[in-house]
Amino acid sequence: MYEKKIPKDFSCGISITLEIMGGKWKPCLIDSINKGMHRPSELAKHHPNASKRVLSLQLKELEAYGVIRKVIHPVLPPKVEYFLTEVGESLLPLVDMMENWGSEFMSEFNNRQENIHVGVTKM
Amino acid sequence: MYEKKIPKDFSCGISITLEIMGGKWKPCLIDSINKGMHRPSELAKHHPNASKRVLSLQLKELEAYGVIRKVIHPVLPPKVEYFLTEVGESLLPLVDMMENWGSEFMSEFNNRQENIHVGVTKM
DNA sequence: CAGTATAGGGACAATATTTTCACTATTGTA
DNA sequence: TACAATAGTGAAAATATTGTCCCTATACTG
């Protein structure tokens, strides 16, 4: 395993949340699992920009922190499903807020760009 | 400047929020500025684990995204102050939620550790 | 004069994260 | 037989982020 050398800073709640949610795809994964995508292949198809490897790693981390629960069906070809735990569900408001804020910011941002192109400047 | 080679993924709002808030200290900085710490030296003293360099970089990024506003007082020795913009203030609920969730998770986590030490296991 | 405080940047080193690619193994399908 | 789908890992490379150290400049203090 990879051993970290820079000590983590857990002085404030924000750092903790960032430790658990900070990965590039973790909030997206929580969101997707909540929306019904449980199998790794589904998640991978829904996030084509994410490498399979990272998704796998981040799922493992989320599981290690008790955010999701892994169910291995003993069949072949393999079938695995991930579900949110209570801890994971308690993160949903945060994930939703991230999604909403980002969407609003994006549309605001696009509006600004349009206005600049048309030569209009807001006061 | 540093040029990124992996294209950003802005397909969902979450990625956008992460792009703006994802830095190691950005949410902490927003929180601190909101709580009245406006000068870089104050912020640095309040986050001794963060290197001066990174704080400076992340402040610059927050400014570039319009989350904070920089006020340079033309005096010597230099005096600079950062303030939240409207965009920055719109992030406060998110920052608060991160702080609260992390704090709760941490105390839950500590409780569990204690219980394990005492030999008690919750069902 | 020497040191401190102020805000910040450049150069570079150290560390962390992500990507790529090749592999494991089994079953079903063309 | 050859290949896809399934879930996942190892090794190594590529990229990103953060840390360390030294430098700029000015005014004040001792």
Side-chain angles (χ1 to χ4, degrees):
Chain A
M1 252 241 181
Y2 186 79
E3 191 183 342
K4 307 210 169 142
K5 308 219 173 148
I6 296 179
K8 301 276 173 182
D9 173 47
F10 291 155
S11 49
C12 65
I14 292 175
S15 311
I16 310 235
T17 305
L18 235 36
E19 163 74 14
I20 293 170
M21 294 266 291
K24 190 170 180 179
W25 299 97
K26 285 183 198 164
C28 296
L29 285 172
I30 294 174
D31 186 50
S32 297
I33 292 174
N34 176 243
K35 285 179 178 158
M37 285 161 266
H38 298 292
R39 302 186 61 180
S41 53
E42 289 177 295
L43 293 166
K45 273 168 205 152
H46 212 256
H47 297 290
N49 294 330
S51 71
K52 198 183 61 159
R53 184 98 165 79
V54 173
L55 290 184
S56 184
L57 286 176
Q58 307 217 339
L59 285 168
K60 209 199 289 190
E61 286 183 37
L62 288 173
E63 193 200 356
Y65 277 124
V67 175
I68 61 178
R69 179 171 46 90
K70 180 179 186 174
V71 176
I72 304 176
H73 300 275
V75 296
L76 274 168
K79 175 171 179 180
V80 167
E81 287 182 301
Y82 292 99
F83 297 94
L84 295 183
T85 61
E86 268 191 47
V87 174
E89 283 175 7
S90 75
L91 276 168
L92 287 176
L94 191 46
V95 174
D96 283 349
M97 200 174 267
M98 290 177 77
E99 166 65 30
N100 292 336
W101 190 90
S103 301
E104 279 188 35
F105 183 84
M106 179 164 45
S107 55
E108 277 250 359
F109 188 77
N110 289 337
N111 281 344
R112 270 188 233 168
Q113 300 301 79
E114 275 179 35
N115 286 344
I116 288 170
H117 286 159
V118 192
V120 178
T121 307
K122 276 189 189 161
M123 297 289 293
Chain B
M1 254 242 178
Y2 186 79
E3 189 184 342
K4 307 211 169 141
K5 309 217 173 149
I6 297 180
K8 301 277 175 183
D9 173 46
F10 291 155
S11 49
C12 65
I14 293 175
S15 311
I16 310 237
T17 305
L18 235 37
E19 162 73 14
I20 294 170
M21 294 266 292
K24 189 169 181 181
W25 300 97
K26 284 184 198 162
C28 297
L29 286 171
I30 294 174
D31 186 50
S32 297
I33 292 174
N34 176 243
K35 285 178 177 157
M37 284 161 265
H38 299 293
R39 301 186 63 181
S41 53
E42 289 177 295
L43 293 167
K45 274 168 204 151
H46 212 257
H47 298 290
N49 295 330
S51 70
K52 199 183 60 157
R53 184 98 166 80
V54 174
L55 289 184
S56 185
L57 287 176
Q58 306 217 340
L59 285 168
K60 210 200 288 191
E61 286 183 37
L62 288 173
E63 193 200 357
Y65 277 124
V67 174
I68 61 178
R69 180 170 45 90
K70 181 179 187 175
V71 176
I72 304 176
H73 300 275
V75 296
L76 274 166
K79 174 171 180 179
V80 167
E81 286 182 301
Y82 292 99
F83 298 94
L84 295 183
T85 61
E86 268 190 46
V87 174
E89 283 174 7
S90 75
L91 277 169
L92 287 176
L94 191 46
V95 174
D96 283 350
M97 201 174 267
M98 291 177 74
E99 167 65 29
N100 292 336
W101 190 90
S103 301
E104 279 187 34
F105 182 85
M106 179 163 47
S107 54
E108 278 250 358
F109 189 76
N110 289 337
N111 283 344
R112 271 188 231 167
Q113 298 302 80
E114 273 180 37
N115 287 342
I116 287 171
H117 286 160
V118 192
V120 178
T121 308
K122 277 189 192 163
M123 298 288 294

